[in-house]
Amino acid sequence: MHGEYKVPGGKLVVVDLDTRGGVLRDVQVAGDFFLEPDEAILTINAALEGAPEDTDAAGLATRIEAALPEGAVMFGLTAEGVAVAVRRALAHATDWTDYDWQLIHEGAQTPALHMALDEVITAEVAAGRRPPTLRVWEWDVPAVVIGSFQSLRNEVDPQGAERHDITVVRRISGGGAMFMEPGNTITYSLSVPKALVQGLSFADSYAYLDDWVLGALGDMGIKAWYQPLNDIATEAGKIAGAAQKRVASDGGAVLHHVTMAYDIDADKMMEVLRIGKEKLSDKGTKSAKKRVDPLRRQTGLAREAVIDRMIDSFRSRYGLAAGKVTDDEMARAQELAEAKFNTQEWTARVP
């Protein structure tokens, strides 16, 4: 069995192993990390040898940490990262490069149609009728997108939304409210097979699916990192938030979508969103305006240039062919937008 895992902000860990009699056998850990002393790699292998194959990642990491000699130093490597690679091997997880990725980047759509396209495309990936897909959104109107479980009245000021002509929609994933304006927002979705995140905890899958965009931002001169559970942050502040939805039908799939602040009208956002004091205190700041630092200021690049560089980075890592929403997918998404995402019953399902 073979498993790979890139430690967030670190290096690639590769684990090859077998199982016999319900325990791990012939464990070999490798990768492009740094480890001192050299013989500590043998210690890690030995710590995993004989572990019950149903041991979770935390239990495997504990075995490794207990066995390492005093003073051992790991660069680009963690005990947790090795443990995750083991779990991915046992789960027969796939890798990014195992797939022929498709890009969808089409014209502006309504907020409700974007919500519906996410649901339809991810269902198609789960059914095996569509390859894993990166979809970059374009917005036709300003919008607030609230999380699946958020209270509408607690998150959105209706007078502010009406005053600024803001469309309010609810998505199928959890997480917090996002304020969108055409030209000021970069939004993308990854619709991926469940096998890509096999062996990862829910939290680890966020970091794993965000890793490519951290590299893309780094190429633009932005030092960014994953901030649990679902933020991408820089020294200047938060620049993006992610959310996920798991599809259990057919072969299973994961929808992972991210909204990045290219620019932002913070005063307008504060008039439309009701951002609670507890949320702000949890982020260690008193003002929502200080929580987000747009990409425009940090890169000096046009929005279209940022998107192009992100796409180029993804393509250079994993390959990416141009694609489109099929006629059947669009017809189903339009029907779903009208029957679900454009209805007050769905939008106010949590009043």
Side-chain angles (χ1 to χ4, degrees):
M1 301 177 194
H2 179 87
E4 298 186 4
Y5 179 63
K6 185 180 180 298
V7 176
K11 299 293 186 176
L12 181 69
V13 182
V14 180
V15 176
D16 290 286
L17 57 85
D18 197 357
T19 59
R20 293 190 294 275
V23 299
L24 307 189
R25 294 298 184 197
D26 306 325
V27 181
Q28 180 175 305
V29 177
D32 60 354
F33 48 80
F34 300 91
L35 178 64
E36 295 290 346
D38 282 355
E39 56 269 22
I41 191 68
L42 301 177
T43 303
I44 293 174
N45 291 342
L48 295 169
E49 191 76 18
E53 62 179 296
D54 60 354
T55 307
D56 62 14
L60 294 171
T62 298
R63 290 175 70 106
I64 295 168
E65 291 167 349
L68 284 171
E70 185 176 352
V73 179
M74 295 186 284
F75 294 99
L77 175 70
T78 64
E80 292 79 9
V82 176
V84 169
V86 170
R87 293 306 317 168
R88 284 176 61 74
L90 292 167
H92 301 283
T94 56
D95 187 65
W96 294 84
T97 54
D98 291 332
Y99 300 103
D100 295 322
W101 290 87
Q102 187 173 111
L103 169 69
I104 295 175
H105 187 193
E106 298 181 336
Q109 307 285 2
T110 67
L113 187 57
H114 277 307
M115 304 303 110
L117 282 169
D118 261 359
E119 185 168 334
V120 169
I121 288 172
T122 306
E124 289 296 283
V125 172
R129 292 187 292 265
R130 160 174 284 282
T133 299
L134 168 64
R135 184 171 75 91
V136 181
W137 304 20
E138 296 294 344
W139 298 88
D140 71 342
V141 295
V144 166
V145 181
I146 61 175
S148 180
F149 309 108
Q150 288 190 295
S151 162
L152 177 61
R153 62 170 169 256
N154 287 347
E155 299 300 326
V156 181
D157 183 310
Q159 287 76 34
E162 183 177 1
R163 182 164 58 252
H164 294 292
D165 198 22
I166 304 294
T167 299
V168 180
V169 292
R170 184 185 296 274
R171 62 181 182 266
I172 59 174
S173 62
M178 307 301 292
F179 177 71
M180 322 285 196
E181 289 187 293
N184 284 353
T185 305
I186 297 173
T187 307
Y188 68 85
S189 301
L190 285 170
S191 296
V192 307
K194 179 183 176 182
L196 184 63
V197 296
Q198 288 280 53
L200 298 177
S201 69
F202 190 80
D204 286 339
S205 70
Y206 274 85
Y208 184 70
L209 295 176
D210 281 338
D211 188 69
W212 73 274
V213 82
L214 300 184
L217 291 169
D219 292 341
M220 289 180 259
I222 300 176
K223 182 181 179 181
W225 59 86
Y226 163 72
Q227 185 168 294
L229 171 65
N230 61 335
D231 287 349
I232 296 174
T234 70
E235 293 179 352
K238 172 182 172 180
I239 57 173
Q244 285 187 8
K245 175 66 177 179
R246 306 295 173 105
V247 175
S249 61
D250 298 310
V254 177
L255 167 65
H256 179 91
H257 41 203
V258 175
T259 293
M260 311 180 79
Y262 171 73
D263 205 349
I264 194 166
D265 186 331
D267 291 326
K268 185 186 296 184
M269 180 184 73
M270 292 293 289
E271 291 181 31
V272 175
L273 294 183
R274 290 174 168 161
I275 300 175
K277 293 181 180 178
E278 290 206 11
K279 180 181 289 188
L280 294 179
S281 65
D282 180 57
K283 301 294 182 181
T285 180
K286 294 181 179 180
S287 172
K289 295 181 183 180
K290 298 178 181 178
R291 287 182 55 204
V292 180
D293 195 80
L295 287 169
R296 180 179 182 179
R297 191 189 72 81
Q298 293 198 48
T299 65
L301 297 170
R303 175 180 177 273
E304 292 73 17
V306 173
I307 292 173
D308 287 344
R309 292 197 184 193
M310 288 170 57
I311 291 172
D312 287 344
S313 181
F314 192 103
R315 183 179 290 114
S316 68
R317 285 169 174 247
Y318 312 125
L320 188 64
K324 64 177 184 178
V325 178
T326 69
D327 291 343
D328 179 66
E329 289 169 342
M330 181 59 75
R332 288 163 54 199
Q334 289 172 337
E335 182 179 344
L336 187 61
E338 289 306 309
K340 179 177 180 180
F341 294 105
N342 264 333
T343 67
Q344 187 65 11
E345 180 183 8
W346 169 257
T347 304
R349 77 183 188 106
V350 182

